[in-house]
Structures are given as C-alpha cells and as structure tokens.
C-alpha cells in the first residue's frame, strides 16, 4: 500500500479543488468518517472518481469488464447477505487465484473471510457499488435458476413442487408446509424474472391454471393438481394478510417482498367463483425508475405539443384508454417533468404506484369515505398549483376537477374510453354540463401499449396485402419499406416480442371542438373535426411504428381493432 493520501491523489491527478478536500477534512475532524465518503456526501466527487482514486492509492486494478464465463459455483457456499453487506463477489478462478471484485479495499474482514471460504488467494479488482450489486444479482439469479442454493427457486421445479403438495385437511396447518412455500416463492420469483405484471390463479371444475401476464398477454405457466388449490390459495392469502377463513366474499391484500435485490409491491385480489377462490396478483417493481415522456413513445410534434400543454397554469388534461394501457405511467412522466420546488403538486390515487420526491400523494380509502371527490375537495384547501386525480369515475369528481381548473389549477386525470373524442361525450353522459367541459378541458390523450419486436430475433417478413390495407397504409407509402417481426428466441420466451411502447392520439381542444361540445355533438363528428385540425389517430400512429420497424402489422391491428377510421 502507498503512503499517499487520498486527498492528494484527488487534487493532483483528478483536479478536485483543494478547498473541497479541506472542507472534507474539517468534517472528518469534527464528526469522524472517511474522507472519500464525506466527499461523496458533499457531492464534491462521483463514486466513479472515488474508485479510480482508491485504485491508485492501493495499487488495485479497476474491473474493466466482467468475464463472459462467470463461475457462479463460487457463490454456492457464500450467503447472499454477506456479499451484499461487504459489496464483494468472486467471479472466476484464474491462474491459481479467484478473480474477485469489491468496492472497499479497506474491508479486510470481508476479504479475509471470503478467502477462507474459497480456500484460495483473491485477485482483487475495484468497481462501483452499483456494478457490484448488478453482478451479485446476476450470479445469484443464475444459481437460483439452477436450484443450487438453499433459497434457490428452480424454474423447472414448479411442476415437481406442485405434485409434492399433499391434499389439505386443515388449511392452517398446510400453510406452513415446505412444498407450498417453495411453490408460491417459485411463482413469484419466475414472474419477476420473466417481467410479468400479473399472476392469475384460476380454479376450474377439474383443473387449476396459473397464468402470467407478460407484455399485456396472458400465458399459461403451470397446471397444478386440483388438490393443491386450497393450499396455494391459503398461502397467498396468509402472505397478503387476508382472512383465510373467509371464502364467500371478495378480499384485497398486499405483499411487500425483496426478490433478487428488487423491491416488489404485490396487490392481491381474491373473488369467490363456482369452483373456488380466484386470485390475481398485480406485481409492481419499485426498483424501476419512472419513465420520461420521451421514453414512453411520444415523439415529434405530439411530444412538443404535450410539453407545451403541461406547463399551462390551468385547465384539465385527460389521458384515456382501457385498463393496463399505461395511463398512470404517462401522468407520472408529465408531473415529473414539471416537478420543481416552486410548484405545489398534490395527487390522489388508487393505488399510489410510485413514490415521487417533492410531491404530496394521497391514497384513496373508500372504507373511511376518503374517495376521489372528498380528497379533491380537501386538496383545494392545500394551495395546490397542479393536481393529479387518479381517475374521474363519477359526475361529482368531474365537476370538482372542472371547478379546480377554472379557479387557476392545472388538473391531470384519466378516463376509461376507447379514444380521445369519446372522452368528451363520456363526460357529458356522466351529467357534466357541456359548457363547463368546453371551458375547462385543454386536451385529451388516448393511448395503447403495443409490444415491440425482440431485437435478438428480429427478421424481415412480408405481411399480407389485406393487412397492410387494413392498417391504413397506402401502396405508395409501403413500397420499398421492409417489415419486421420476431422469429422467437429464449430472450423473448419465443414470443417474438420483448417490451412495449405507446401509441397515441392527441386531441387538442380548440374553438371548433369547444363549440361541438356545447352542441353535444356526436363523437364521430368531433373526430372528423379533430382530424381536419391534424389529429393523428391511434391506428395511424401505430402504422408509423410498423414502418419504423418497431412492431408488427398484426400487433397494431390487435390493439386498435375497435377503432373505425373516419375519413374527413
């Protein structure tokens, strides 16, 4: 080890200001701690810079790139808690030693303990905590998939676990049986691994079917014996804090888990059916970051228009679409864009899906009469600049939101309609006065989520002429354009699709549309007016995605099948 001080290295070799080093040293003298960590907290340096300086100080190389052939067997005897606590993980045996990456070169206890367990000298490399955590998750994820750890959940053991379940006599007793715990844990682990958003446990007369919803499509993953149904149901209900003795009434519950380093919030719903309780688990990965408007699929003129709309000081902006079409993600992206210390933003949601720093978020609770309408009334006494209402479900909520927008507030909300013109007529059908809608509504954004082609197995193909015509693409527009689809590979679970993006229909309410609202005009007439003003329909936006090679003709036709294109 070198005698050079960290502060000297940072100043002389990395250009850190001497004043910043001196300030860190003063903090160290007053409160203790290590200079590097103090500089990080004071944001005088980045973690990458600190790791580079520590590498110079202790003459330990940086990890440039992890080996492609990671030896996951090295981690078999090492508890995951140990490697996460010490931020150290062995990667591969190499020339009589073990290539090991770590974060803190002064963690001698961690280094010594790991060397003793592996019975080998360690060839150390340094890396940032984030990279090490990613490697830890990658290695233990592979171990779990192979079933070689105590807490491992073997992917292909689902059927074996289900077959091992005994038929229950006393449900309170069986919930503690090891096979059922392994099975339910396996279902949750694999759901996260395969990017599922929902798990369905569906009882039928002679079967029990478990399905995952991945990229908006349900897939069968397991058919356990019918005898396993009570044990699976009881285990899930116990985890969710639900009453396992009550089988006649619908129930709701919640599970909070840490799976492979990911914080997962699971909303559980059970309803009684003719053949037993049906359970749906909605999975929300809290470790995922919020998406910006640019990342959800908005671009070009639409994105520019939305940016102008969300900085207004008043009015209502609605996002419409069916359940699971990404409305909440779009609204979160919008309020995150305008979130700043000079704005008071308050939301009322059901449920709160993401915690956003600097924003007041209210969870509705009908049991104590905290509804969207009652919460919205209270919000207006909190001096808000921007209000987000999770959903307009009734005329009372609609009228309060309108009054809020007319008194100088910008209001965001959602509505369940198929397209943007339909939102206008839906508000009128609720009983809202047309003149109030016309004077407060600024824009309606309708959206859908479409699956994107898997990049690992993307290949050219030729759709049928009738499909291209149905998509609304003219022969001249499609001439010379290469269409693509996914062939199917392990990366996309042989579906040909991996991930989703949004398609949008933005209706900006101008004078002509306002007049049509007051006259209670039919939605088809409003659609023609909007299209004459340049509105692009959902199917037209989808066609643009197809021509850009992002998705397939079949996918756009599937998602927009209810849309009838009206020619102006």
């Amino acid at each position: 080890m070198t005698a050079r001080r960290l502060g000297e290295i940072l100043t002389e070799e990395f250009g850190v200001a001497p004043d910043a080093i001196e300030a860190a040293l003063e903090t160290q003298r007053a409160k203790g701690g290590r200079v590097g960590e103090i500089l990080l907290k004071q944001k005088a340096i980045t973690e990458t810079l600190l790791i580079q300086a520590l590498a110079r100080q202790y003459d330990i190389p940086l990890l440039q790139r992890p080996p492609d052939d990671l030896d996951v067997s090295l981690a078999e005897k090492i508890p995951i808690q140990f490697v996460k606590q010490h931020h150290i993980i062995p990667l591969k045996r190499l020339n009589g030693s073990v290539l090991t990456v770590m974060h803190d070169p002064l963690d001698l206890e961690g280094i010594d303990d790991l060397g003793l367990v592996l019975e080998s000298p360690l060839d150390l490399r340094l890396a940032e905590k984030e990279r090490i955590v990613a490697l830890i998750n990658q290695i233990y994820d592979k171990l779990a998939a192979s079933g070689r750890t105590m807490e491992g959940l073997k992917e292909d053991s689902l059927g074996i676990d289900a077959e091992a379940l005994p038929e229950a006599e006393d449900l309170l007793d069986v919930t503690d049986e090891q096979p059922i715990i392994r099975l339910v844990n396996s279902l949750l682990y694999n759901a996260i691994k395969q990017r599922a958003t929902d798990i369905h446990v569906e009882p039928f007369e002679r079967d029990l079917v478990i399905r995952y919803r991945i990229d908006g499509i349900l897939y069968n993953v397991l058919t356990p014996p019918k005898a396993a149904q009570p044990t699976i149901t009881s285990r899930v209900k116990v985890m969710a804090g639900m009453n396992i003795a009550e089988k006649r009434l619908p129930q709701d519950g919640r599970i909070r888990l840490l799976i492979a380093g990911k914080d997962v919030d699971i909303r559980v719903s059970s309803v009684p059916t003719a053949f037993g309780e049906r359970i749906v688990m909605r999975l929300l990965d809290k470790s995922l970051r919020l998406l910006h408007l640019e990342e959800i699929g908005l671009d070009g003129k639409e994105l520019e228009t939305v940016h102008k709309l969300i900085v207004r000081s008043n009015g209502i902006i609605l996002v419409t679409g069916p359940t699971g079409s990404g409305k909440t993600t779009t609204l979160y992206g919008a309020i995150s864009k305008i979130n700043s210390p000079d704005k008071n933003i308050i939301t009322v949601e059901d449920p709160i899906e993401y915690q956003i720093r600097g924003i007041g978020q209210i969870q509705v609770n009908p049991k104590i009469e905290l509804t969207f309408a009652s919460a919205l009334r209270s919000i207006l006494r909190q001096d808000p600049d921007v209000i987000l209402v999770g959903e307009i479900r009734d005329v009372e909520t609609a009228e309060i939101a309108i009054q809020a927008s007319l008194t100088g507030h910008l209001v965001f909300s959602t509505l369940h309609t198929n397209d943007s013109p339909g939102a206008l007529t839906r508000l009128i059908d609720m009983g809202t006065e047309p003149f109030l809608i016309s004077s407060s509504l600024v824009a309606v954004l309708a959206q859908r989520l479409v699956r994107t082609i898997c990049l690992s197995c993307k290949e050219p193909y030729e759709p049928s002429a009738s499909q291209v015509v149905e998509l609304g693409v003219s022969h001249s527009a499609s001439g010379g354009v290469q269409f693509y689809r996914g062939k199917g590979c392990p990366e996309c679970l042989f579906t040909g699709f991996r991930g989703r993006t949004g398609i949008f229909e933005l209706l900006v309410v101008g004078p002509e549309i306002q007049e049509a609202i007051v006259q209670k005009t039919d939605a088809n007439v409003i659609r023609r007016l909007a299209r004459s003003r340049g509105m692009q329909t959902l199917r037209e936006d989808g066609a643009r995605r197809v021509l850009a090679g992002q998705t397939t003709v079949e996918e756009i036709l599937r998602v927009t099948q209810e849309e009838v294109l009206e020619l102006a």
Side-chain angles (χ1 to χ4, degrees):
M1 292 187 182
T2 178
R4 292 183 70 193
R5 294 180 180 274
L6 183 65
E8 293 176 7
I9 296 171
L10 287 168
T11 302
E12 295 172 6
E13 298 189 32
F14 296 96
V16 177
D19 291 346
I21 303 296
E22 186 55 39
L25 290 171
E26 286 182 13
T27 302
Q28 183 187 47
R29 287 190 285 268
K31 300 179 180 179
R34 292 161 65 174
V35 171
E37 292 174 356
I38 295 169
L39 287 166
L40 272 179
K41 288 179 181 177
Q42 295 176 347
K43 297 184 178 179
I45 60 173
T46 62
E47 188 184 7
T48 301
L49 191 61
L50 174 60
I51 290 296
Q52 290 174 350
L54 288 172
R56 300 282 180 90
Q57 185 180 22
Y58 295 105
D59 196 23
I60 300 175
L62 295 169
L63 179 71
Q64 301 298 338
R65 184 181 172 216
D68 294 327
D69 51 342
L70 292 173
D71 186 357
V72 298
S73 66
L74 290 169
E76 279 187 57
K77 298 179 181 179
I78 308 168
I80 191 170
Q81 293 84 358
F82 173 85
V83 293
K84 285 193 171 182
Q85 177 186 344
H86 292 277
H87 288 96
I88 184 170
I89 184 72
L91 304 178
K92 182 182 178 181
R93 290 194 180 274
L94 200 64
N95 301 325
S97 60
V98 177
L99 180 66
T100 302
V101 61
M102 69 178 310
H103 176 262
D104 183 3
L106 291 179
D107 184 7
L108 301 180
E109 181 183 350
I111 297 171
D112 292 342
D113 288 348
L114 186 62
L116 286 172
V117 171
L118 296 176
E119 299 178 344
S120 175
L122 305 182
D123 183 5
L124 295 175
R125 298 288 188 274
L126 292 184
E128 299 88 340
K129 282 184 180 179
E130 187 177 347
R131 288 185 69 194
I132 294 173
V133 169
L135 283 167
I136 290 171
N137 288 336
Q138 181 183 350
I139 288 169
Y140 281 87
D141 181 61
K142 288 183 178 179
L143 270 180
S146 65
R148 290 187 291 180
T149 59
M150 288 294 290
E151 59 272 85
L153 302 169
K154 190 173 180 181
E155 185 173 337
D156 58 6
S157 71
L158 288 174
I160 298 171
D161 288 343
E163 295 291 345
L165 290 173
E167 188 167 357
E169 292 182 5
D170 187 333
L171 296 183
L172 288 173
D173 290 336
V174 246
T175 52
D176 291 327
E177 291 293 325
Q178 188 66 24
I180 185 61
I181 294 173
R182 289 176 56 202
L183 174 64
V184 174
N185 287 351
S186 297
L187 289 171
L188 295 171
Y189 170 81
N190 282 277
I192 293 297
K193 182 179 177 182
Q194 296 178 15
R195 302 176 295 106
T197 55
D198 302 84
I199 304 173
H200 290 235
V201 182
E202 303 172 347
F204 300 101
E205 185 176 6
R206 292 186 174 84
D207 301 304
L208 179 68
V209 177
I210 297 177
R211 301 195 286 174
Y212 289 165
R213 187 179 293 280
I214 303 171
D215 290 337
I217 304 296
L218 281 168
Y219 298 95
N220 287 354
V221 294
L222 183 64
T223 307
K226 181 69 173 176
Q229 180 183 323
T231 59
I232 292 173
T233 302
S234 294
R235 175 59 184 168
V236 173
K237 290 174 73 174
V238 166
M239 293 176 72
M242 298 157 71
N243 182 0
I244 65 170
E246 179 56 77
K247 304 174 185 178
R248 302 163 300 169
L249 296 173
Q251 293 187 64
D252 293 312
R254 182 175 177 181
I255 304 171
R256 189 79 178 268
L257 292 175
L258 197 65
I259 303 176
K262 296 180 178 180
D263 186 7
V264 182
D265 190 16
I266 305 172
R267 305 298 171 103
V268 183
S269 169
S270 73
V271 295
T273 70
F275 304 110
E277 289 179 280
R278 189 181 194 277
I279 290 181
V280 174
M281 291 174 270
R282 167 66 60 89
L283 280 62
L284 181 65
D285 188 349
K286 294 279 189 179
S287 64
L288 295 177
R289 66 179 180 82
L290 288 177
L291 296 178
H292 299 298
L293 292 173
E294 296 85 351
E295 297 172 298
I296 63 175
L298 279 168
D299 56 15
K301 184 181 177 182
E302 283 181 336
L303 179 62
E304 183 182 337
T305 304
V306 170
H307 280 162
K308 290 177 181 178
L309 292 170
I310 64 176
V311 296
R312 288 174 56 100
S313 59
N314 58 71
I316 297 180
I317 298 173
L318 291 178
V319 180
T320 76
T323 301
S325 58
K327 300 186 297 294
T328 302
T329 300
T330 299
L331 287 178
Y332 276 151
I335 62 174
S336 296
K337 178 74 175 178
I338 60 176
N339 185 20
S340 62
D342 64 332
K343 280 190 174 67
N344 181 19
I345 303 177
I346 304 179
T347 76
V348 51
E349 307 170 56
D350 182 23
I352 297 172
E353 295 192 8
Y354 294 95
Q355 299 287 346
I356 307 176
R357 186 178 179 84
I359 292 177
Q361 295 174 270
I362 300 170
Q363 167 81 53
V364 302
N365 188 349
K367 292 179 182 178
I368 57 172
E369 297 184 0
L370 180 60
T371 62
F372 282 116
S374 61
L376 193 47
R377 284 196 193 92
S378 300
I379 285 175
L380 293 175
R381 295 192 287 271
Q382 291 280 315
D383 185 32
D385 297 299
V386 179
I387 300 169
L388 188 153
V389 184
E391 183 184 345
I392 293 178
R393 295 177 179 173
D394 50 50
V395 65
E396 185 182 11
T397 307
E399 288 179 349
I400 298 171
I402 287 172
Q403 293 299 331
S405 70
L406 293 175
T407 53
H409 304 90
L410 181 62
V411 180
F412 293 96
S413 191
T414 70
L415 202 61
H416 286 283
T417 60
N418 287 331
D419 55 17
S420 48
L424 309 181
T425 54
R426 173 70 184 280
L427 288 172
I428 295 172
D429 291 341
M430 277 185 180
T432 312
E433 290 293 343
F435 74 91
L436 290 176
I437 300 170
S438 67
S439 56
S440 61
L441 193 61
V442 172
V444 183
L445 181 70
Q447 67 178 74
R448 297 288 188 279
L449 290 178
V450 297
R451 294 178 294 171
T452 51
I453 299 169
C454 174
L455 297 178
S456 300
C457 59
K458 187 175 182 179
E459 65 175 9
Y461 86 115
E462 193 64 41
S464 67
S466 61
Q467 286 180 324
V468 175
V469 171
E470 190 179 354
L471 187 64
V473 178
S474 65
H475 180 74
S476 58
S478 63
V481 174
Q482 182 64 69
F483 294 89
Y484 292 92
R485 67 180 174 191
K487 183 179 180 181
C489 67
E491 286 291 318
C492 61
L493 304 177
F494 299 96
T495 63
F497 297 96
R498 185 172 174 84
R500 289 188 289 178
T501 189
I503 58 173
F504 302 91
E505 176 181 277
L506 179 61
L507 187 155
V508 178
V509 179
E512 292 180 356
I513 304 292
Q514 287 177 325
E515 180 63 27
I517 295 171
V518 172
Q519 298 297 326
K520 297 185 179 181
T521 306
D522 180 76
N524 286 329
V525 177
I526 294 176
R527 170 178 287 276
R528 284 196 290 268
L529 280 172
R531 292 195 67 195
S532 68
R533 304 278 296 175
M535 183 186 79
Q536 183 175 245
T537 66
L538 284 166
R539 184 162 288 186
E540 287 169 342
D541 192 31
R544 185 170 60 86
R545 305 280 178 191
V546 171
L547 296 177
Q550 297 175 348
T551 189
T552 65
V553 175
E554 294 86 351
E555 179 68 3
I556 297 300
L557 295 180
R558 177 185 70 84
V559 171
T560 62
Q561 59 191 357
E562 81 287 342
E563 179 185 307
V564 179
L565 294 177
E566 294 285 343
L567 297 176

